[in-house]
PDB file of all heavy atoms in Angstrom:
ATOM      1  N   TYR A1406      -5.309   0.091   6.809  1.00 98.00           N
ATOM      2  CA  TYR A1406      -6.486  -0.170   5.974  1.00 98.00           C
ATOM      3  C   TYR A1406      -6.838   1.069   5.140  1.00 98.00           C
ATOM      4  O   TYR A1406      -7.232   0.959   3.971  1.00 98.00           O
ATOM      5  CB  TYR A1406      -7.674  -0.569   6.852  1.00 98.00           C
ATOM      6  CG  TYR A1406      -8.928  -0.893   6.071  1.00 98.00           C
ATOM      7  CD1 TYR A1406      -9.052  -2.093   5.375  1.00 98.00           C
ATOM      8  CD2 TYR A1406      -9.987   0.010   6.025  1.00 98.00           C
ATOM      9  CE1 TYR A1406     -10.203  -2.381   4.657  1.00 98.00           C
ATOM     10  CE2 TYR A1406     -11.140  -0.266   5.311  1.00 98.00           C
ATOM     11  CZ  TYR A1406     -11.241  -1.471   4.629  1.00 98.00           C
ATOM     12  OH  TYR A1406     -12.376  -1.754   3.893  1.00 98.00           O
ATOM     13  N   GLY A1407      -6.673   2.247   5.730  1.00 98.00           N
ATOM     14  CA  GLY A1407      -6.953   3.479   5.000  1.00 98.00           C
ATOM     15  C   GLY A1407      -6.050   3.651   3.794  1.00 98.00           C
ATOM     16  O   GLY A1407      -6.495   4.065   2.718  1.00 98.00           O
ATOM     17  N   VAL A1408      -4.765   3.340   3.948  1.00 98.00           N
ATOM     18  CA  VAL A1408      -3.826   3.417   2.822  1.00 98.00           C
ATOM     19  C   VAL A1408      -4.248   2.456   1.720  1.00 98.00           C
ATOM     20  O   VAL A1408      -4.290   2.823   0.529  1.00 98.00           O
ATOM     21  CB  VAL A1408      -2.388   3.105   3.281  1.00 98.00           C
ATOM     22  CG1 VAL A1408      -1.450   3.041   2.071  1.00 98.00           C
ATOM     23  CG2 VAL A1408      -1.897   4.143   4.277  1.00 98.00           C
ATOM     24  N   ILE A1409      -4.571   1.220   2.095  1.00 98.00           N
ATOM     25  CA  ILE A1409      -4.965   0.213   1.111  1.00 98.00           C
ATOM     26  C   ILE A1409      -6.243   0.634   0.391  1.00 98.00           C
ATOM     27  O   ILE A1409      -6.354   0.529  -0.844  1.00 98.00           O
ATOM     28  CB  ILE A1409      -5.163  -1.159   1.800  1.00 98.00           C
ATOM     29  CG1 ILE A1409      -3.841  -1.651   2.388  1.00 98.00           C
ATOM     30  CG2 ILE A1409      -5.723  -2.184   0.816  1.00 98.00           C
ATOM     31  CD1 ILE A1409      -3.990  -2.843   3.327  1.00 98.00           C
ATOM     32  N   THR A1410      -7.208   1.152   1.162  1.00 98.00           N
ATOM     33  CA  THR A1410      -8.483   1.588   0.584  1.00 98.00           C
ATOM     34  C   THR A1410      -8.270   2.707  -0.427  1.00 98.00           C
ATOM     35  O   THR A1410      -8.848   2.703  -1.524  1.00 98.00           O
ATOM     36  CB  THR A1410      -9.435   2.055   1.708  1.00 98.00           C
ATOM     37  OG1 THR A1410      -9.667   0.976   2.613  1.00 98.00           O
ATOM     38  CG2 THR A1410     -10.767   2.522   1.131  1.00 98.00           C
ATOM     39  N   GLU A1411      -7.432   3.690  -0.058  1.00 98.00           N
ATOM     40  CA  GLU A1411      -7.162   4.804  -0.968  1.00 98.00           C
ATOM     41  C   GLU A1411      -6.409   4.325  -2.204  1.00 98.00           C
ATOM     42  O   GLU A1411      -6.676   4.777  -3.329  1.00 98.00           O
ATOM     43  CB  GLU A1411      -6.360   5.886  -0.245  1.00 98.00           C
ATOM     44  CG  GLU A1411      -6.095   7.139  -1.068  1.00 98.00           C
ATOM     45  CD  GLU A1411      -7.360   7.895  -1.438  1.00 98.00           C
ATOM     46  OE1 GLU A1411      -8.369   7.794  -0.700  1.00 98.00           O
ATOM     47  OE2 GLU A1411      -7.346   8.593  -2.476  1.00 98.00           O
ATOM     48  N   ALA A1412      -5.484   3.395  -2.029  1.00 98.00           N
ATOM     49  CA  ALA A1412      -4.701   2.878  -3.165  1.00 98.00           C
ATOM     50  C   ALA A1412      -5.604   2.220  -4.204  1.00 98.00           C
ATOM     51  O   ALA A1412      -5.351   2.328  -5.413  1.00 98.00           O
ATOM     52  CB  ALA A1412      -3.657   1.885  -2.662  1.00 98.00           C
ATOM     53  N   LYS A1413      -6.647   1.560  -3.744  1.00 98.00           N
ATOM     54  CA  LYS A1413      -7.558   0.877  -4.665  1.00 98.00           C
ATOM     55  C   LYS A1413      -8.325   1.856  -5.551  1.00 98.00           C
ATOM     56  O   LYS A1413      -8.869   1.470  -6.576  1.00 98.00           O
ATOM     57  CB  LYS A1413      -8.549   0.007  -3.877  1.00 98.00           C
ATOM     58  CG  LYS A1413      -7.912  -1.237  -3.259  1.00 98.00           C
ATOM     59  CD  LYS A1413      -8.958  -2.052  -2.501  1.00 98.00           C
ATOM     60  CE  LYS A1413      -8.377  -3.343  -1.959  1.00 98.00           C
ATOM     61  NZ  LYS A1413      -9.388  -4.138  -1.228  1.00 98.00           N
ATOM     62  N   ARG A1414      -8.369   3.110  -5.164  1.00 98.00           N
ATOM     63  CA  ARG A1414      -9.064   4.134  -5.953  1.00 98.00           C
ATOM     64  C   ARG A1414      -8.182   4.667  -7.084  1.00 98.00           C
ATOM     65  O   ARG A1414      -8.626   5.491  -7.882  1.00 98.00           O
ATOM     66  CB  ARG A1414      -9.496   5.286  -5.049  1.00 98.00           C
ATOM     67  CG  ARG A1414     -10.440   4.886  -3.916  1.00 98.00           C
ATOM     68  CD  ARG A1414     -10.861   6.096  -3.088  1.00 98.00           C
ATOM     69  NE  ARG A1414     -11.754   5.701  -1.999  1.00 98.00           N
ATOM     70  CZ  ARG A1414     -11.532   5.938  -0.714  1.00 98.00           C
ATOM     71  NH1 ARG A1414     -10.447   6.608  -0.347  1.00 98.00           N
ATOM     72  NH2 ARG A1414     -12.389   5.539   0.209  1.00 98.00           N
ATOM     73  N   HIS A1415      -6.921   4.234  -7.112  1.00 98.00           N
ATOM     74  CA  HIS A1415      -5.964   4.782  -8.076  1.00 98.00           C
ATOM     75  C   HIS A1415      -5.349   3.651  -8.903  1.00 98.00           C
ATOM     76  O   HIS A1415      -4.483   2.917  -8.410  1.00 98.00           O
ATOM     77  CB  HIS A1415      -4.870   5.556  -7.335  1.00 98.00           C
ATOM     78  CG  HIS A1415      -5.394   6.712  -6.535  1.00 98.00           C
ATOM     79  ND1 HIS A1415      -5.576   7.966  -7.070  1.00 98.00           N
ATOM     80  CD2 HIS A1415      -5.803   6.786  -5.241  1.00 98.00           C
ATOM     81  CE1 HIS A1415      -6.061   8.774  -6.137  1.00 98.00           C
ATOM     82  NE2 HIS A1415      -6.216   8.082  -5.016  1.00 98.00           N
ATOM     83  N   PRO A1416      -5.770   3.501 -10.140  1.00 97.00           N
ATOM     84  CA  PRO A1416      -5.283   2.400 -10.978  1.00 97.00           C
ATOM     85  C   PRO A1416      -3.781   2.461 -11.243  1.00 97.00           C
ATOM     86  O   PRO A1416      -3.181   1.448 -11.609  1.00 97.00           O
ATOM     87  CB  PRO A1416      -6.080   2.564 -12.278  1.00 97.00           C
ATOM     88  CG  PRO A1416      -6.609   3.964 -12.258  1.00 97.00           C
ATOM     89  CD  PRO A1416      -6.791   4.312 -10.832  1.00 97.00           C
ATOM     90  N   GLU A1417      -3.169   3.623 -11.027  1.00 96.00           N
ATOM     91  CA  GLU A1417      -1.721   3.723 -11.255  1.00 96.00           C
ATOM     92  C   GLU A1417      -0.908   3.048 -10.142  1.00 96.00           C
ATOM     93  O   GLU A1417       0.298   2.867 -10.270  1.00 96.00           O
ATOM     94  CB  GLU A1417      -1.293   5.190 -11.396  1.00 96.00           C
ATOM     95  CG  GLU A1417      -1.409   6.046 -10.152  1.00 96.00           C
ATOM     96  CD  GLU A1417      -2.768   6.721  -9.976  1.00 96.00           C
ATOM     97  OE1 GLU A1417      -3.772   6.185 -10.477  1.00 96.00           O
ATOM     98  OE2 GLU A1417      -2.803   7.786  -9.332  1.00 96.00           O
ATOM     99  N   ILE A1418      -1.594   2.681  -9.035  1.00 98.00           N
ATOM    100  CA  ILE A1418      -0.926   1.959  -7.947  1.00 98.00           C
ATOM    101  C   ILE A1418      -1.036   0.457  -8.208  1.00 98.00           C
ATOM    102  O   ILE A1418      -2.133  -0.082  -8.296  1.00 98.00           O
ATOM    103  CB  ILE A1418      -1.545   2.297  -6.572  1.00 98.00           C
ATOM    104  CG1 ILE A1418      -1.423   3.788  -6.269  1.00 98.00           C
ATOM    105  CG2 ILE A1418      -0.885   1.465  -5.468  1.00 98.00           C
ATOM    106  CD1 ILE A1418      -0.011   4.289  -6.162  1.00 98.00           C
ATOM    107  N   GLU A1419       0.091  -0.189  -8.320  1.00 98.00           N
ATOM    108  CA  GLU A1419       0.105  -1.633  -8.588  1.00 98.00           C
ATOM    109  C   GLU A1419       0.155  -2.456  -7.308  1.00 98.00           C
ATOM    110  O   GLU A1419      -0.555  -3.456  -7.179  1.00 98.00           O
ATOM    111  CB  GLU A1419       1.311  -1.991  -9.461  1.00 98.00           C
ATOM    112  CG  GLU A1419       1.336  -3.453  -9.900  1.00 98.00           C
ATOM    113  CD  GLU A1419       2.416  -3.717 -10.933  1.00 98.00           C
ATOM    114  OE1 GLU A1419       3.463  -3.030 -10.910  1.00 98.00           O
ATOM    115  OE2 GLU A1419       2.210  -4.607 -11.772  1.00 98.00           O
ATOM    116  N   SER A1420       0.983  -2.036  -6.346  1.00 98.00           N
ATOM    117  CA  SER A1420       1.146  -2.797  -5.110  1.00 98.00           C
ATOM    118  C   SER A1420       1.226  -1.862  -3.914  1.00 98.00           C
ATOM    119  O   SER A1420       1.754  -0.751  -4.009  1.00 98.00           O
ATOM    120  CB  SER A1420       2.427  -3.646  -5.141  1.00 98.00           C
ATOM    121  OG  SER A1420       2.383  -4.593  -6.189  1.00 98.00           O
ATOM    122  N   VAL A1421       0.681  -2.326  -2.794  1.00 98.00           N
ATOM    123  CA  VAL A1421       0.888  -1.665  -1.504  1.00 98.00           C
ATOM    124  C   VAL A1421       1.665  -2.642  -0.642  1.00 98.00           C
ATOM    125  O   VAL A1421       1.137  -3.654  -0.193  1.00 98.00           O
ATOM    126  CB  VAL A1421      -0.440  -1.289  -0.818  1.00 98.00           C
ATOM    127  CG1 VAL A1421      -0.164  -0.730   0.588  1.00 98.00           C
ATOM    128  CG2 VAL A1421      -1.215  -0.268  -1.636  1.00 98.00           C
ATOM    129  N   TYR A1422       2.938  -2.343  -0.454  1.00 98.00           N
ATOM    130  CA  TYR A1422       3.779  -3.224   0.349  1.00 98.00           C
ATOM    131  C   TYR A1422       3.697  -2.848   1.828  1.00 98.00           C
ATOM    132  O   TYR A1422       3.651  -1.674   2.188  1.00 98.00           O
ATOM    133  CB  TYR A1422       5.241  -3.121  -0.093  1.00 98.00           C
ATOM    134  CG  TYR A1422       5.531  -3.711  -1.447  1.00 98.00           C
ATOM    135  CD1 TYR A1422       5.942  -2.897  -2.500  1.00 98.00           C
ATOM    136  CD2 TYR A1422       5.404  -5.082  -1.677  1.00 98.00           C
ATOM    137  CE1 TYR A1422       6.225  -3.423  -3.751  1.00 98.00           C
ATOM    138  CE2 TYR A1422       5.682  -5.625  -2.927  1.00 98.00           C
ATOM    139  CZ  TYR A1422       6.085  -4.796  -3.955  1.00 98.00           C
ATOM    140  OH  TYR A1422       6.365  -5.330  -5.200  1.00 98.00           O
ATOM    141  N   GLY A1423       3.695  -3.872   2.670  1.00 98.00           N
ATOM    142  CA  GLY A1423       3.867  -3.681   4.100  1.00 98.00           C
ATOM    143  C   GLY A1423       5.254  -4.170   4.470  1.00 98.00           C
ATOM    144  O   GLY A1423       5.648  -5.273   4.065  1.00 98.00           O
ATOM    145  N   ALA A1424       6.005  -3.347   5.210  1.00 98.00           N
ATOM    146  CA  ALA A1424       7.328  -3.773   5.669  1.00 98.00           C
ATOM    147  C   ALA A1424       7.129  -4.681   6.885  1.00 98.00           C
ATOM    148  O   ALA A1424       6.663  -4.224   7.928  1.00 98.00           O
ATOM    149  CB  ALA A1424       8.185  -2.570   6.032  1.00 98.00           C
ATOM    150  N   ILE A1425       7.448  -5.949   6.745  1.00 98.00           N
ATOM    151  CA  ILE A1425       7.224  -6.910   7.821  1.00 98.00           C
ATOM    152  C   ILE A1425       8.309  -6.739   8.893  1.00 98.00           C
ATOM    153  O   ILE A1425       9.484  -6.960   8.642  1.00 98.00           O
ATOM    154  CB  ILE A1425       7.223  -8.355   7.281  1.00 98.00           C
ATOM    155  CG1 ILE A1425       6.170  -8.519   6.170  1.00 98.00           C
ATOM    156  CG2 ILE A1425       6.970  -9.350   8.413  1.00 98.00           C
ATOM    157  CD1 ILE A1425       4.748  -8.192   6.592  1.00 98.00           C
ATOM    158  N   GLY A1426       7.866  -6.320  10.078  1.00 97.00           N
ATOM    159  CA  GLY A1426       8.811  -6.132  11.178  1.00 97.00           C
ATOM    160  C   GLY A1426       9.384  -4.741  11.287  1.00 97.00           C
ATOM    161  O   GLY A1426      10.479  -4.560  11.823  1.00 97.00           O
ATOM    162  N   GLY A1427       8.680  -3.739  10.802  1.00 97.00           N
ATOM    163  CA  GLY A1427       9.118  -2.357  10.969  1.00 97.00           C
ATOM    164  C   GLY A1427      10.266  -1.956  10.053  1.00 97.00           C
ATOM    165  O   GLY A1427      10.445  -2.514   8.963  1.00 97.00           O
ATOM    166  N   MET A1428      11.064  -1.004  10.489  1.00 96.00           N
ATOM    167  CA  MET A1428      12.151  -0.473   9.662  1.00 96.00           C
ATOM    168  C   MET A1428      13.145  -1.565   9.263  1.00 96.00           C
ATOM    169  O   MET A1428      13.700  -1.539   8.164  1.00 96.00           O
ATOM    170  CB  MET A1428      12.885   0.647  10.407  1.00 96.00           C
ATOM    171  CG  MET A1428      12.129   1.957  10.484  1.00 96.00           C
ATOM    172  SD  MET A1428      11.667   2.613   8.855  1.00 96.00           S
ATOM    173  CE  MET A1428      13.271   2.715   8.067  1.00 96.00           C
ATOM    174  N   GLU A1429      13.359  -2.509  10.135  1.00 96.00           N
ATOM    175  CA  GLU A1429      14.258  -3.616   9.811  1.00 96.00           C
ATOM    176  C   GLU A1429      13.738  -4.395   8.613  1.00 96.00           C
ATOM    177  O   GLU A1429      14.505  -4.952   7.826  1.00 96.00           O
ATOM    178  CB  GLU A1429      14.412  -4.533  11.019  1.00 96.00           C
ATOM    179  CG  GLU A1429      15.546  -5.533  10.906  1.00 96.00           C
ATOM    180  CD  GLU A1429      15.776  -6.297  12.190  1.00 96.00           C
ATOM    181  OE1 GLU A1429      14.979  -6.128  13.150  1.00 96.00           O
ATOM    182  OE2 GLU A1429      16.748  -7.064  12.247  1.00 96.00           O
ATOM    183  N   GLY A1430      12.403  -4.411   8.452  1.00 97.00           N
ATOM    184  CA  GLY A1430      11.790  -5.097   7.323  1.00 97.00           C
ATOM    185  C   GLY A1430      12.141  -4.460   5.994  1.00 97.00           C
ATOM    186  O   GLY A1430      12.213  -5.142   4.965  1.00 97.00           O
ATOM    187  N   ILE A1431      12.358  -3.135   5.993  1.00 98.00           N
ATOM    188  CA  ILE A1431      12.797  -2.468   4.762  1.00 98.00           C
ATOM    189  C   ILE A1431      14.239  -2.858   4.451  1.00 98.00           C
ATOM    190  O   ILE A1431      14.572  -3.256   3.337  1.00 98.00           O
ATOM    191  CB  ILE A1431      12.690  -0.934   4.881  1.00 98.00           C
ATOM    192  CG1 ILE A1431      11.252  -0.509   5.156  1.00 98.00           C
ATOM    193  CG2 ILE A1431      13.196  -0.273   3.597  1.00 98.00           C
ATOM    194  CD1 ILE A1431      11.076   0.991   5.317  1.00 98.00           C
TER     195      ILE A1431
END
């Protein structure tokens, strides 16, 4: 949530991706 909150303060950030299922998700 902290990452998402901080990202919203920066218009240059378009997306915050979450890797579904850990490293395997990447």
